[in-house]
Amino acid sequence: MSPSELVHIETLSEIDALTERMRRHAAEAPDWRPAEACRAMTQRLLQRVDTMRVRWEAPLLVAALGGSGTGKSSLVNAIIGEEIATTGRNRPTTIYPTLICRPDVAPESLGIDPRQVEVVYRDLPILRDVIIVDCPDPDTSERVAETDGQAEASSVASEKSSASIEKKKSLAEGNLARLRAILPHCDALLVVATQQKYRSAKVGEELAAAAPGAHLFFVQTHADEDDDVRADWGKHLKESGSSSLAVPAKIKQSDFFFVDSLAALKDAVAGLQPRGEFARLIDALHRQLSGASGKRIRRANFLDLTADMLERSSRRIDDALPSVEELRSQIAQRRAELASRLAERMRGELLAGRRLWEHRLVGQAASRWGVSPFALVLRLYQGFGALLAGTTLYRMRTPAQLAVWGAAMGVRTWRKKSQDAESERRFEQAATDCWDHEEIRKAALVLEGYADEAGVPRDDASLETIVAEAGRAGDRFVAAAASQVDAVVAKLAAKKTGFFTRSFYNLAFIAMLGGLLFRVGKNFFYDSIVGSPLAPVFGLDSYLVSGFWLVLWCAVLLVTFTGSLRGGLKKEIDRLADAWRGPEVAAGLFVALEDECRKIGRWRAELQALIAETDRLRRRLASPEE
């Protein structure tokens, strides 16, 4: 196998891989109106690719395209070397496409319905690598319109003339349909024009539609009587090619020819060699459409067609993308607003139930400090109410009084537990109903409008969908918030009960207690027994004063310690609230809409990758090594 054959096989395999990627890309199109249109275009292209695949090794189909009276049939006859197609200047003569090929070629093998063409078989050397088609006139309808206008302007209108006009209209419509049926199968186009018709809008429309999948040659005929307008023709094509990227990109001045078809046909019939511009045209056809160059043309045509379709899809997507980006912006904005309201509400609930969290913090501090002196003070502080209630037990004298005391203690315990449970319940309820339902409804209405404008399914922005998403997001937030609050309590307890803090409060308490005990002990054991002079033993009032100062000192230490806990707790609550204002808290809202936007982004990225791969293959095919 020669190197050129290996390169050919490699290129075909890469084209197959590109085609398969395009097939998957079309199948994975998101539920988005612009993507649906692009998917339809891709599917139509893939259908055409299947037809082209059958003809990879078949002769190239070369079509003569031009307006009526431009000399298409004369040019075809000159290229073939004999008068096959019917000719006539300044009047439409080609009605059915005339397909000229070798006897061993069947129109069906080219994907062409033989009933829509007139087939002429010739065993000629020029037909070894190409099949030539003389196409119907695309602008016949313009001439019919002129005839129609003349008929209506006439003072006498007979039924015969009306029938003739209708027949011509039907003929024009049939011509255009047959032309459009044959052009997608063509690998190269001989675009034929004259000095009078090179600006034909009708021909320009058909050329713009067919150019992406075909190699182009531009031939100005009637060189025996017209001026050379090739430069202006090329300028006109480039200026009017904004509707089709492929036409201006394919225009090269070397592909313009100025020929006299009738003189060329006479030379061919007389057995003379082609001359002048016609010789250059024949040389270009042989050089560019035969052998390996012909295979290159067909592959290049496929890639040009693919590039044109992908560029059209990309423009369509890019035109619709701003509305999708606006939808994403609105999703982020609504999430931020709802998260901010949630954070403020939860902050208020946490601060309202701060006593519960302080109680937990004091309990954790006492547990961490074990049997240290100040830990005992903390436990007494926590159970102060129960301690006071317990002292009344000693005053109970009868079973009835004891029963009343027990009932009171039970009510007190129940109320305390109820208060703690209520604080927890309020927090959990606030977390469960964290979203403002009115704000959710407003957000759903706003996003539904943006989704409709962006072409995204409105069901993803419906109130039912968003309410369900809010419920699931609320459940996740409840679990996360509860664990975060517990973590904050544990973190604050660890921070506020460190070695130095514990040492400070224990030493402060022991210093006061030790001072009071030393004063009482010194008076009792020393001053009142061996002192000089002997001091009287302190009375009850002195012990009460000492107890008062001890209690007051404990209160100061407790206020200082709980104040530190309270300040730290408020800071942690504020920090939590700031964290809840972030986008992660509301990430569970509007997920269906966001998923659609994300799918659109990924789908567009794959489209850009396909465009880049197609451009790479086109550059490789255009390189000299290929």
Side-chain angles (χ1 to χ4, degrees):
M1 187 175 295
S2 64
S4 61
E5 291 176 323
L6 288 174
V7 170
H8 175 62
I9 292 174
E10 183 181 3
T11 304
L12 290 181
S13 66
E14 291 183 326
I15 290 176
D16 288 341
L18 176 64
T19 304
E20 186 58 33
R21 282 184 64 182
M22 291 172 57
R23 199 182 305 278
R24 290 197 303 269
H25 184 254
E28 295 169 358
D31 191 7
W32 185 40
R33 286 196 296 267
E36 291 171 359
C38 295
R39 175 173 56 193
M41 286 194 297
T42 303
Q43 289 172 344
R44 291 181 67 88
L45 173 66
L46 293 175
Q47 291 174 357
R48 184 167 175 181
V49 168
D50 292 337
T51 303
M52 295 177 68
R53 191 187 303 276
V54 176
R55 299 189 294 115
W56 278 131
E57 304 300 330
L60 296 180
L61 201 61
V62 182
L65 172 67
S68 58
T70 56
K72 298 189 306 298
S73 300
S74 298
L75 178 64
V76 168
N77 290 337
I79 293 173
I80 296 300
E82 61 178 281
E83 191 163 353
I84 295 176
T86 305
T87 62
R89 288 195 177 185
N90 303 320
R91 59 186 178 86
T93 56
T94 306
I95 298 176
Y96 282 91
T98 302
L99 191 147
I100 307 169
C101 61
R102 296 172 67 89
D104 57 347
V105 176
E108 295 89 339
S109 65
L110 306 173
I112 298 174
D113 185 354
R115 295 172 297 180
Q116 296 294 321
V117 296
E118 294 181 358
V119 184
V120 177
Y121 294 106
R122 290 290 186 274
D123 191 4
L124 300 173
I126 196 171
L127 298 178
R128 182 187 63 184
D129 295 312
V130 299
I131 298 169
I132 298 179
V133 181
D134 185 14
C135 292
D137 308 321
D139 60 344
T140 303
S141 56
E142 298 173 2
R143 297 181 61 83
V144 170
E146 295 173 3
T147 306
D148 191 9
Q150 294 171 1
E152 289 179 356
S154 176
S155 58
V156 180
S158 62
E159 293 182 2
K160 182 177 180 181
S161 62
S162 298
S164 176
I165 291 173
E166 291 299 324
K167 181 178 179 181
K168 290 179 179 179
K169 286 183 178 180
S170 176
L171 177 63
E173 293 172 357
N175 277 5
L176 196 56
R178 284 187 285 270
L179 173 65
R180 290 175 177 173
I182 196 71
L183 284 181
H185 301 281
C186 297
D187 302 295
L189 295 179
L190 293 170
V191 185
V192 185
T194 62
Q195 182 180 354
Q196 293 76 27
K197 289 207 168 187
Y198 72 94
R199 290 176 176 264
S200 171
K202 201 69 175 179
V203 176
E205 291 177 6
E206 302 306 320
L207 174 61
H215 189 75
L216 304 180
F217 299 91
F218 299 92
V219 182
Q220 180 189 350
T221 57
H222 299 185
D224 56 328
E225 51 185 54
D226 288 350
D227 294 330
D228 187 350
V229 295
R230 286 178 291 174
D232 189 60
W233 188 11
K235 181 180 178 181
H236 168 70
L237 287 171
K238 291 180 179 179
E239 291 175 351
S240 62
S242 58
S243 60
S244 174
L245 295 177
V247 176
K250 289 190 171 189
I251 293 177
K252 294 185 294 184
Q253 201 59 37
S254 60
D255 290 332
F256 283 80
F257 305 89
F258 188 32
V259 303
D260 181 353
S261 303
L262 296 180
L265 177 59
K266 289 181 181 179
D267 287 345
V269 172
L272 301 177
Q273 292 294 323
R275 294 177 294 171
E277 284 288 306
F278 185 74
R280 193 168 70 86
L281 172 62
I282 294 298
D283 179 68
L285 293 177
H286 278 292
R287 185 166 29 84
Q288 298 184 36
L289 303 182
S290 61
S293 298
K295 294 178 181 180
R296 187 199 304 269
I297 288 289
R298 183 162 282 152
R299 285 173 285 169
N301 289 344
F302 164 73
L303 293 175
D304 289 345
L305 186 64
T306 301
D308 182 74
M309 188 279 298
L310 293 175
E311 287 292 343
R312 290 174 185 270
S313 297
S314 179
R315 291 199 303 273
R316 183 184 293 268
I317 296 300
D318 290 343
D319 289 343
L321 205 57
S323 59
V324 177
E325 293 301 324
E326 181 63 24
L327 174 60
R328 297 184 72 168
S329 175
Q330 287 295 322
I331 290 174
Q333 180 178 337
R334 302 299 160 182
R335 279 178 174 171
E337 292 174 355
L338 290 169
S340 179
R341 289 187 175 88
L342 164 68
E344 197 59 35
R345 181 180 180 187
M346 297 307 299
R347 179 179 178 274
E349 292 295 336
L350 286 173
L351 291 177
R354 186 168 54 184
R355 183 176 178 182
L356 170 64
W357 314 117
E358 292 175 2
H359 183 74
R360 287 187 179 181
L361 280 171
V362 171
Q364 288 202 23
S367 298
R368 286 174 176 270
W369 287 350
V371 293
S372 62
F374 191 69
L376 178 63
V377 175
L378 293 177
R379 288 189 174 91
L380 290 174
Y381 168 71
Q382 279 193 300
F384 185 70
L387 181 63
L388 289 179
T391 59
T392 61
L393 178 62
Y394 296 101
R395 302 181 62 186
M396 301 296 103
R397 297 292 184 267
T398 65
Q401 291 176 337
L402 187 62
V404 171
W405 178 85
M409 289 299 295
V411 169
R412 181 185 177 280
T413 302
W414 174 79
R415 287 183 60 187
K416 185 177 183 306
K417 289 185 176 180
S418 296
Q419 290 175 352
D420 292 346
E422 178 64 18
S423 297
E424 293 187 356
R425 188 192 65 79
R426 286 181 58 191
F427 173 74
E428 292 179 357
Q429 183 66 27
T432 303
D433 297 333
C434 52
W435 312 115
D436 188 325
H437 293 288
E438 182 63 22
E439 292 297 327
I440 288 289
R441 189 183 68 82
K442 290 180 181 178
L445 290 175
V446 171
L447 293 178
E448 189 174 16
Y450 279 100
D452 184 62
E453 183 178 350
V456 175
R458 297 178 61 180
D459 291 344
D460 294 333
S462 65
L463 182 60
E464 294 79 6
T465 300
I466 291 178
V467 167
E469 291 175 345
R472 291 190 293 268
D475 292 340
R476 288 193 294 269
F477 176 74
V478 168
S483 63
Q484 287 172 353
V485 169
D486 290 338
V488 163
V489 171
K491 174 185 175 182
L492 195 57
K495 181 179 179 182
K496 297 297 183 179
T497 58
F499 173 77
F500 293 105
T501 303
R502 180 178 59 183
S503 300
F504 171 78
Y505 283 101
N506 281 329
L507 289 175
F509 176 73
I510 292 171
M512 173 60 80
L513 182 61
L516 292 176
L517 291 176
F518 175 78
R519 179 173 175 271
V520 172
K522 180 176 179 296
N523 172 262
F524 185 82
F525 291 105
Y526 181 78
D527 293 342
S528 63
I529 297 175
V530 297
S532 179
L534 295 176
V537 177
F538 290 156
L540 181 61
D541 57 342
S542 180
Y543 286 98
L544 290 175
V545 170
S546 298
F548 168 77
W549 286 111
L550 180 62
V551 171
L552 182 61
W553 182 243
C554 288
V556 170
L557 293 179
L558 284 171
V559 169
T560 305
F561 182 69
T562 56
S564 176
L565 291 180
R566 190 176 298 112
L569 183 61
K570 185 178 182 305
K571 289 181 180 179
E572 291 298 328
I573 289 175
D574 290 340
R575 186 187 62 79
L576 266 183
D578 290 339
W580 289 337
R581 288 187 177 92
E584 296 81 6
V585 173
L589 290 174
F590 321 127
V591 290
L593 275 178
E594 190 176 45
D595 284 345
E596 289 298 328
C597 294
R598 194 177 294 112
K599 288 177 184 177
I600 290 170
R602 289 197 299 265
W603 196 77
R604 178 181 179 273
E606 177 62 17
L607 177 62
Q608 298 302 315
L610 287 172
I611 292 175
E613 176 65 12
T614 303
D615 288 342
R616 184 188 69 81
L617 289 175
R618 292 174 75 188
R619 290 193 300 269
R620 176 179 175 181
L621 197 62
S623 65
E625 292 80 7
E626 171 57 15

